[in-house]
Amino acid sequence: MAFIEKNLPYILAGISVGGQYALIAIGYTMVYGILRLINFAHGDLFMAAGFMMVYLSATLPLYIAIPLVIILTVILGFLIERVAYKPLRKAPRMSVMISAIGVSYFIQNSAWYITSGLAKQYPTIPVISNSINVWGSTTTVVTVITPILTIILVAALVALIRYTKIGMAMRAVSRDFETSQLMGIRINTVISYTFVIGSFLAAVGSLLYFTNYTTVTPTAGSMPGLKAFVAAVFGGIGSIPGAVLGAFIIGICENIIKGLGWTTFYDAFTFALLIIILIAKPSGLFGEKSTDKV
Amino acid sequence: MEHLNNKQKILITAALIIGLFILLLVLEQFLPSSSMLFVVLKKGAIYALVVVSMNLLNGFTGLFSLGQAGFMLIGAYTYAIFTIPVEARPMVYQYFNGGIVKFTLPVIPAIILAGIVTAIFAYLIGLPVLRLKSDYLAIATLGFAEIIRAFFQWDKLGPITNGSNLLKLYPVFHSVIFPFTVAGICIAIIVLLINSSYGRAFKAIRDDEIAAEAMGINLAHHKQISFTISSFFAGIGGALLAMFQTTVQASAFRATMTYEILLIVVIGGIGSVTGSCLASFLFIACSEWWLRFLDNTTYIGSFKVPLLATGFRKVFFAVVIMIIVLFYNRGIMGTNEFSLDALIEFFRKRFSKRRKEDSAT
């Protein structure tokens, strides 16, 4: 109990960061489930959403800027898929991955060009930036809202996948690409929907994440992106509840490590976890058994 | 159609190499040492080595590894740690009482040691990681590169690595001949390896693992060899890069560096050594020299040229790279190699065509 009391601020921060990772991780896990592609550009999409918010909120009121950021991010995600991944659908997996790395390089450099490499101050969103007292430790409202919002969104997503027609198509495509094509499912539509959902969640995640961290830089997306991917692998790639659980575990562990004073290693911890998982249980916590990973 | 025999080929190749070195020597005599040409040549040679070492792994063995920056970091640090002169150590390790390494190695042994240390690390990392396939291997090696970076920045290792502070004051090269010689020897060794029975086994693994195994190739063993050797040369490349930059800091060896190297491999052609070399020089020349003007705000008369501003060069690069990846995925050379035979053939065709055209008119 004393441990929890002492580390409460870190645990709260961990839960909040975990929720934000979870929103990004869903984008990875859904895309990987369907295309078998690590979408390296997903983290940069998240960063781009941050910059859009910075620029749009400078001229527009927040109630217009926030929906606009979400819409633009979704369009960007859709375009990335159409331009960089669709032409390579029949190419070897390595080419698609190189294309993803190329897109990531492009987005980062464009962001660098537009901002001249300077860190930008993220606008304060009223209400969720306020301070709040939780069990004797002060934190911001966003910390409390993030896990709740994450769980609501995930529940909605799971319902979408389980009960709607497009959700059923997604499940079919991730089970067997070719056969579902033979059954008359429009693969390209399904893939576009996947990217749209992933980008939407990344945009929401970016609103919460940058409210917490307050500055956006052109490389701000790469680390959270990689960590979210690790979370997706940890939970079992293709499984949405797995990705969410993995993200929360990583967020909390990371912040406890920070709290113990091992700040240098808090990035490394995530990757150490990844390597242990890949070697010990490559299908992750909830992943389906598959033989092509190892 | 006669081909050159082997003896002639070796003679011509040797003559070309000697010619290149004489050219470099002459250039150094006549051009001021601050000329951009030398910066490009030095950095280009170093990148060529690193890119070829990555190509050995990605292009010839089919192992999609993204750990190159991490291995270069080990090489760079090993070199720097063991070559800082004893009298300069208190100044470099000012926060760690002069560090715990109290001796200095000469330059060449230190470079070789950098390769060996990197290879040992790579061997240990390879044991668990090489069991993974394609994208899982990529992400695991990327992860290891990050872990290595964190370790080298760790305060507790400060007496050896100087924590997150700079390493400096170690011997560096001034002449462009040095990186060319070292990188040249290393690339030559890699080419010999690729043309040996090991190289053929690597290619077999790349093309079809199951078939290769059926032909009696020990997959784990050969992957491990390829991974270790590639890292050995990446370590040497890292040491050269440390010499080129004159200071080393772990925070510079990020995943972005690996991505850049990978993209050069793609530009040159996955599976072509000469393509990699060509692409490295081209990439470095463009990014350091020829395309610099894209970063400067320019006026023609009173007209401000649009778009040109800091960072535009990189955006331009990224667009070119995306075009290559999407529409021209064989890169400059594909899997072909530059060879004298092909060159002679090319000119012969050109001339015979012209002769025909001449006789027609």
Side-chain angles (χ1 to χ4, degrees), chain A residues 53-109:
Chain A
M53 184 67 189
V54 170
Y55 284 104
L56 288 178
S57 66
T59 50
L60 295 170
L62 280 177
Y63 58 87
I64 300 178
I66 292 174
L68 204 58
V69 165
I70 292 175
I71 292 167
L72 287 176
T73 314
V74 166
I75 293 173
L76 183 62
F78 174 78
L79 284 180
I80 289 173
E81 195 275 322
R82 276 293 144 107
V83 173
Y85 305 148
K86 196 176 165 223
L88 297 175
R89 202 130 299 158
K90 298 235 155 53
R93 266 162 82 185
M94 201 156 111
S95 313
V96 194
M97 197 147 69
I98 291 170
S99 180
I101 290 176
V103 173
S104 154
Y105 191 70
F106 173 74
I107 298 181
Q108 273 185 25
N109 286 335

Side-chain angles (χ1 to χ4, degrees), chain A residues 96-254:
Chain A
V96 194
M97 197 147 69
I98 291 170
S99 180
I101 290 176
V103 173
S104 154
Y105 191 70
F106 173 74
I107 298 181
Q108 273 185 25
N109 286 335
S110 306
W112 213 93
Y113 169 58
I114 293 165
T115 61
S116 337
L118 300 172
K120 297 274 175 183
Q121 193 67 31
Y122 202 72
T124 33
I125 302 170
V127 184
I128 66 167
S129 305
N130 295 348
S131 294
I132 189 178
N133 204 321
V134 184
W135 297 310
S137 68
T138 317
T139 174
T140 49
V141 176
V142 71
T143 318
V144 184
I145 283 182
T146 307
I148 299 168
L149 191 62
T150 307
I151 287 164
I152 293 171
L153 285 172
V154 168
L157 182 62
V158 169
L160 177 93
I161 287 177
R162 197 161 291 169
Y163 300 116
T164 63
K165 212 170 171 187
I166 187 75
M168 203 196 227
M170 280 175 187
R171 278 182 286 146
V173 174
S174 74
R175 181 61 58 84
D176 192 326
F177 205 87
E178 268 107 36
T179 313
S180 52
Q181 219 165 0
L182 291 174
M183 296 292 145
I185 294 172
R186 288 174 207 275
I187 295 278
N188 288 330
T189 321
V190 174
I191 292 170
S192 294
Y193 266 104
T194 314
F195 273 85
V196 164
I197 293 172
S199 315
F200 168 75
L201 294 175
V204 176
S206 110
L207 286 174
L208 300 169
Y209 182 87
F210 289 117
T211 302
N212 230 354
Y213 283 83
T214 68
T215 51
V216 195
T217 59
T219 49
S222 54
M223 229 352 125
L226 284 174
K227 281 178 187 162
F229 178 76
V230 175
V233 174
F234 186 51
I237 202 113
S239 150
I240 290 169
V244 174
L245 189 68
F248 276 116
I249 292 175
I250 285 180
I252 293 168
C253 290
E254 203 179 89

